[in-house]
Amino acid sequence: QVQLVESGGGLVQAGGSLRLSCAVSGRTSSVYAMGWFRQAPGKEREFLARIDWSSGTTWYAASVKDRFTISKVNAKNTVYLQMNSLKPEDTAFYYCAADLSPTTAYKYWGQGTQVTVSS
């Protein structure tokens, strides 16, 4: 089992920044990669970024790659999502997820944290 707890969400003005954190606990040795997703009301869940747990290789959705940065500190078992130049359309619930294999879907999800960007 892997447990994930997000934090760092909140209310920010357009153009501002936030850094989300995802604390990973449990069988962290089984984690292959970590991802960040978001879901806005009435919309489907959207992939944002992914980071390989061992190599640190990253992938981004085209919609955020110039504004968001995913990173990790293995010693702290924590994954971060630095979000800059936030826009009102970035308002959503943000989730981190753990992937245990390169060939399977994300298996473990956090409870999410709300990000609200005011105009």
Side-chain angles (χ1 to χ4, degrees), residues 51-67:
I51 187 165
D52 185 282
W53 193 250
S54 59
S55 72
T57 303
T58 58
W59 295 263
Y60 294 93
S63 59
V64 302
K65 67 180 181 66
D66 294 329
R67 300 186 295 123

Side-chain angles (χ1 to χ4, degrees), residues 5 11 18 25 29 33 43-44 49 52 66-67 73-75 77-79 85 99 101 103-104 108-109 119:
V5 178
L11 175 64
L18 278 177
S25 61
S29 60
K43 295 189 177 181
E44 294 187 353
D52 185 282
D66 294 329
R67 300 186 295 123
V73 177
N74 287 51
N77 288 329
T78 301
V79 178
S85 302
D99 190 2
S101 163
T103 59
T104 59
Y108 296 101
W109 294 80
S119 57

Side-chain angles (χ1 to χ4, degrees), residues 34-109:
M34 293 293 298
W36 281 99
F37 296 77
R38 68 185 178 189
Q39 188 165 21
K43 295 189 177 181
E44 294 187 353
R45 186 171 60 199
E46 176 187 12
F47 165 78
L48 300 174
R50 175 182 172 96
I51 187 165
D52 185 282
W53 193 250
S54 59
S55 72
T57 303
T58 58
W59 295 263
Y60 294 93
S63 59
V64 302
K65 67 180 181 66
D66 294 329
R67 300 186 295 123
F68 291 7
T69 302
I70 189 171
S71 62
K72 63 180 177 68
V73 177
N74 287 51
K76 294 184 177 181
N77 288 329
T78 301
V79 178
Y80 302 96
L81 185 69
Q82 177 67 42
M83 306 186 294
N84 299 327
S85 302
L86 284 164
K87 308 173 182 178
E89 51 264 44
D90 292 318
T91 295
F93 229 75
Y94 284 69
Y95 301 88
C96 63
D99 190 2
L100 305 187
S101 163
T103 59
T104 59
Y106 289 88
K107 184 170 183 178
Y108 296 101
W109 294 80

